[in-house]
Amino acid sequence: MQLLDGKLCSEKIRKEIKKEVEAIVAKGGRPPHLAAVLVGNDGASENYVAFKVKDCAEVGFDSTTIRLKDTISEQELLNKINELNNDEKIDGFIVQLPIPKHINESNIILAIDSKKDVDGFCPENVGNLALGLPTYISATPNGIMELLRRYDIETEGKHCVVLGRSNIVGTPIAVLMSRNSTPGNATVTIAHSRTANLKELCLSADILIVAIGKTEFVTADMVKGGAVVIDVGQTRVPDDSKKAGFRNVGDVDFENVKEKCSYITYVTGGVGPMTRASLLQNTLKAYQRG
Ligand code: GUN
């Protein structure tokens, strides 16, 4: 078994981006600028945004965090998005999800200017992804593809089972893996909560991408020997032995599954850091598009 080390790969990507930013600044240009909107005080979201800010600093990007109370109205949030759409100093921005339930998430995503939608969530960018046109590929699927590319994992003709059909991960990664590209050219099955014979289906997977949001859902008896396993899950589980009072647990029972795999990601050094690096890549792209 070999680890797919997203921490290591993402360090390389950040170094590559940093070089590009240094070249921009050396020529007198301003650095790329990412803004993140954080609504409320969800602990995990706070953490994710803090990491995004830290990553920006590391590669030489400017960043702005916009903190809004969880009591904010939908209209107030839409007004803020409109401001960011029209702010020439901001190249790209994200609204950290989830947002409070009284705000309609689709309305928020629809309001983001597609040129600044570095999350790749809005309909134009998702449509371009489906059509194979240039776009911002959302960060988690892009990070997974980059990991497969950098480790030279054979995907052509393989059976890839994707567990989960979310807009952010399951659906776009299925599109990317089935595309006529490298990595890609896999035969893809999307599985979800209503899928019959899930265990048998998983056992037929050469590549198993798990984004189902249930801790340690995939157990060793569901994995074919030699499979490539990508764990997108990251759930906080209370743990008094940790300083933070919790530990992050993936959707895969790593300790037992790892014995059966050819390659596997681990939480939190697998898909998470690759997702963050992809957001930086998209922000650089937004800057270059002008
Ligand atoms: N919440 C969990 N993942 C993401 C992401 O990739 N982007 C945003 N905006 N929110 C998230």
Side-chain angles (χ1 to χ4, degrees):
M1 176 280 295
Q2 192 182 340
L3 279 181
L4 293 170
D5 194 335
K7 197 160 172 278
L8 194 71
C9 266
S10 66
E11 271 166 28
K12 287 189 190 149
I13 294 169
R14 286 198 301 278
K15 280 195 183 128
E16 291 160 13
I17 296 174
K18 186 166 185 237
K19 266 196 183 160
E20 291 203 43
V21 177
E22 281 167 357
I24 290 167
V25 173
K27 282 193 206 140
R30 70 159 175 84
H33 190 161
L34 172 72
V37 179
L38 180 58
V39 186
N41 301 94
D42 175 71
S45 292
E46 293 250 8
N47 229 6
Y48 290 140
V49 170
F51 273 129
K52 288 168 185 175
V53 168
K54 179 174 162 284
D55 291 340
C56 283
E58 190 182 320
V59 299
F61 287 3
D62 288 334
S63 71
T64 301
T65 305
I66 296 140
R67 294 176 158 274
L68 301 170
K69 289 204 170 72
D70 61 2
T71 51
I72 192 172
S73 69
E74 185 170 311
Q75 190 54 53
E76 284 171 304
L77 183 52
L78 288 170
N79 293 345
K80 178 50 75 180
I81 289 169
N82 193 36
E83 241 177 67
L84 293 167
N85 283 341
N86 292 301
D87 187 338
E88 286 182 2
K89 295 186 296 302
I90 305 281
D91 300 294
F93 67 95
I94 63 143
V95 177
Q96 186 66 33
L97 302 176
I99 49 178
K101 297 246 176 318
H102 67 277
I103 301 175
N104 183 314
E105 190 179 288
S106 297
N107 289 346
I108 299 307
I109 289 170
L110 283 168
I112 299 173
D113 182 341
S114 62
K115 290 192 287 303
K116 294 195 175 189
D117 170 35
V118 286
D119 258 332
F121 288 173
C122 79
E124 186 176 334
N125 288 324
V126 176
N128 284 340
L129 174 85
L131 295 172
L133 296 172
T135 187
Y136 300 116
I137 299 173
S138 56
T140 302
N142 193 53
I144 295 169
M145 296 304 278
E146 191 79 36
L147 204 52
L148 295 173
R149 186 177 300 117
R150 288 185 185 235
Y151 276 87
D152 223 1
I153 305 283
E154 180 70 55
T155 59
E156 182 163 324
K158 303 290 182 193
H159 185 206
C160 173
V161 172
V162 177
L163 289 194
R165 55 181 161 186
S166 71
N167 291 344
I168 297 184
V169 186
T171 300
I173 194 67
V175 171
L176 291 167
M177 288 297 284
S178 62
R179 254 192 199 171
N180 185 358
S181 63
T182 307
N185 280 325
T187 303
V188 179
T189 307
I190 303 183
H192 46 75
S193 54
R194 310 290 166 87
T195 297
N197 305 323
L198 190 64
K199 181 176 165 186
E200 287 70 26
L201 182 67
C202 290
L203 276 168
S204 73
D206 304 304
I207 302 167
L208 188 57
I209 301 179
V210 192
I212 202 164
K214 291 184 180 159
T215 54
E216 298 183 335
F217 180 84
V218 170
T219 46
D221 59 333
M222 296 167 77
V223 177
K224 176 159 89 173
V228 176
V229 176
I230 309 280
D231 188 355
V232 182
Q234 191 173 311
T235 305
R236 288 182 170 192
V237 171
D239 185 342
D240 291 339
S241 73
K242 303 279 177 200
K243 211 169 101 194
F246 66 87
R247 68 196 148 87
N248 287 297
V249 180
D251 290 355
V252 174
D253 174 10
F254 177 82
E255 282 309 319
N256 294 307
V257 170
K258 75 174 198 283
E259 308 300 339
K260 294 185 82 174
C261 300
S262 55
Y263 293 90
I264 187 168
T265 62
Y266 66 102
V267 177
T268 56
V271 174
M274 292 304 290
T275 297
R276 286 161 47 195
S278 296
L279 182 65
L280 297 174
Q281 289 176 317
N282 279 350
T283 305
L284 182 61
K285 201 190 259 188
Y287 173 88
Q288 286 161 340
R289 278 174 64 162

